């Protein structure tokens, strides 16, 4: 009899926890290992562990909008509503500064649903000023990861829908950062890109690093 879907999923979570732990330990200053570990802890309901890993990721990189959102969810599920509100209040401002609209709006909605005050958004006013200064012709591209305008890649970095998505959303310098990070990921996890699992793991890290999930 084939193993049940739930069982396979649990195995997959365990395998990923081990991978990310290994990555976080091998390179403790690499935010991606801690972030990914926090995310999978959230998925399996280990909210206090998730909170620790995500807090560490944010210490290393306070610009990770998505980490604030996940950390707030972990705190809330762990029964720590006030900690969740504090994190969201910071997170909304960070996401807004960077033009990360999706996590910003999701975090603002969480604050509202708990009756907590929502910080005032800056992004619409800022975007308006930029458009006025540079004209609408160059106002089209904003990197979804760092929020900066311009600096778009000259073309998709590779063929296919993911390449197109990167081209549409990610600036040249964020893409360069990923190339460096991707090399670390391959080395630390011992990924073999010619295998489906190696490629899948690599892609998963890439989407998380570039904050392209759900886009
Ligand atoms: Zn960027």
């Amino acid at each position: 009899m084939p193993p049940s879907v739930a069982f396979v999923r649990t195995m997959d979570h365990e395998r990923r926890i081990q991978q990310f732990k290994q990555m976080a330990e091998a390179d403790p200053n690499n935010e991606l290992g801690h972030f990914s570990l926090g995310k999978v802890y959230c998925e399996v309901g280990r909210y206090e562990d998730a909170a620790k890993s995500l807090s560490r990721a944010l210490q290393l990189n306070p610009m990770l909008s998505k980490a604030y959102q996940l950390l707030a969810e972990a705190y809330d599920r762990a029964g720590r509503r006030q900690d969740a509100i504090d994190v969201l209040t910071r997170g909304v401002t960070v996401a807004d500064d960077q033009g990360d609209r999706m996590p910003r709006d999701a975090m603002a909605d969480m604050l509202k649903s708990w009756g907590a005050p929502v910080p005032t958004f800056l992004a619409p006013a800022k975007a308006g000023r930029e458009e006025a200064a540079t004209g609408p012709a160059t106002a089209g591209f904003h990197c979804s990861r760092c929020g900066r305008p311009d600096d778009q890649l000259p073309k998709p970095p590779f063929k296919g829908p993911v390449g197109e998505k990167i081209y549409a959303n990610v600036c040249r310098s964020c893409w360069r950062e990923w190339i460096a990070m991707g090399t670390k990921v391959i080395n630390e996890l011992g990924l073999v890109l010619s295998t489906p699992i190696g490629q899948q793991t690599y892609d998963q890290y890439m989407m998380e690093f570039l904050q392209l999930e759900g886009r």
Side-chain angles (χ1 to χ4, degrees), residues 143-148 170-174:
C143 175
S144 64
R145 180 169 182 269
C146 68
R148 283 192 294 257
V170 176
C171 77
R172 203 192 295 245
S173 47
C174 285

Side-chain angles (χ1 to χ4, degrees), residues 13-31:
H13 278 133
E14 272 311 311
R15 187 179 56 79
R16 285 168 60 209
I17 287 173
Q18 291 314 318
Q19 270 188 343
F20 297 144
K21 261 191 181 165
Q22 190 185 325
M23 183 168 183
E25 280 161 19
D27 189 3
N29 295 322
N30 178 347
E31 77 225 34

